[in-house]
Amino acid sequence: MSDVELIVLDDAEAVAEAVAQRLARAVADGGNVVLTGGSTPKLAYERAAAIAPDWRGIEVWWGDERCVPAEDERSNYGMAKAALLDRLEHPPAAVHRIFGEAGRDEGAALYEEELGSEALGLVLLGVGPDGHVASLFPGAVTLDETERRAVGAEAGHEPFVDRVTLTLPALRGAAEVLFLLTGEEKADAARRAFAQDPDAATPASLVRAESGRTVAILDRVAAAAIDA
Ligand code: 6PG
């Protein structure tokens, strides 16, 4: 599996700009792009929509979803719709929303069917302060999944609602995994994810592209413990 290429930038704005530029290159190349939820990517999504407004060559997927309706404020789809999709001049060729409202097991089954054997291109991943990625939480049974590409998950971090998540095999099959982390509350997770041996206590440490690139873009405060 690929080593992580670390890119440390001055602040969250610089991280957002770098992620937006990488998204713009993915848009130019076409293919499948997997978005992450959470709050970190919002600014990057807004910038990406501004610099690359034509997503006709892209199919959009999500790394995970909360089991809530699309219009719920906790929806990862809803966040990306407001920050990115609604701002585009030309929408993606396809938007593969995870139907979290169907419940974690039914929603995962539907997403698994839609994923089929689709090759995932650029996969964005935020990292929680506990080291979770998507909805793969520390020590969770979902980390043991070796066959399915999507599974239901119990929440191991706020918001405490059931989830649907891509699995480690799915994430490791990406052409490129791109982690994005900002803020001092991510410093310990970044150290465990990128500067220590893989460990189920830190799911981000288990995600490396098997035959593609693995890149982590961090601001200085999130990277502070890595140099220690
Ligand atoms: C989710 C997200 C999750 C997120 C991390 C980091 O559904 O909660 O997909 O994996 O990326 O929790 O979130 P922040 O960017 O808000 O710190």
Side-chain angles (χ1 to χ4, degrees), residues 109-134:
L110 291 169
Y111 200 45
E112 178 86 22
E113 186 176 348
E114 190 157 355
L115 278 162
S117 57
E118 282 285 341
L120 300 182
L122 176 63
V123 173
L124 298 186
L125 286 174
V127 179
D130 59 353
H132 80 261
V133 288

Side-chain angles (χ1 to χ4, degrees), residues 5 8 19 34 39 41 55 69 127 151 173 205 222:
E5 300 168 45
V8 181
V19 174
V34 180
S39 56
W55 281 48
V127 179
V151 292
S205 71

Side-chain angles (χ1 to χ4, degrees), residues 116-170:
S117 57
E118 282 285 341
L120 300 182
L122 176 63
V123 173
L124 298 186
L125 286 174
V127 179
D130 59 353
H132 80 261
V133 288
S135 284
L136 298 172
F137 297 101
V141 64
T142 50
L143 296 172
D144 301 328
E145 180 60 45
T146 58
E147 300 302 324
R148 289 175 292 173
R149 303 182 82 192
V151 292
E154 288 185 16
H157 191 271
E158 61 186 6
F160 290 96
V161 292
D162 281 349
R163 312 294 187 89
V164 175
T165 185
L166 289 182
T167 59
L168 289 176

Side-chain angles (χ1 to χ4, degrees), residues 172-224:
R172 289 167 173 167
E176 178 173 333
V177 172
L178 176 56
F179 295 100
L180 54 149
L181 300 85
T182 62
E184 60 185 346
E185 73 276 10
K186 301 297 178 74
D188 186 54
R191 178 182 56 78
R192 290 184 279 118
F194 308 128
Q196 286 194 332
D197 292 337
D199 188 315
T202 307
S205 71
L206 304 177
V207 178
R208 301 291 185 266
E210 277 165 347
S211 56
R213 289 182 70 193
T214 305
V215 182
I217 303 180
L218 309 91
D219 66 6
R220 292 202 186 291
V221 288

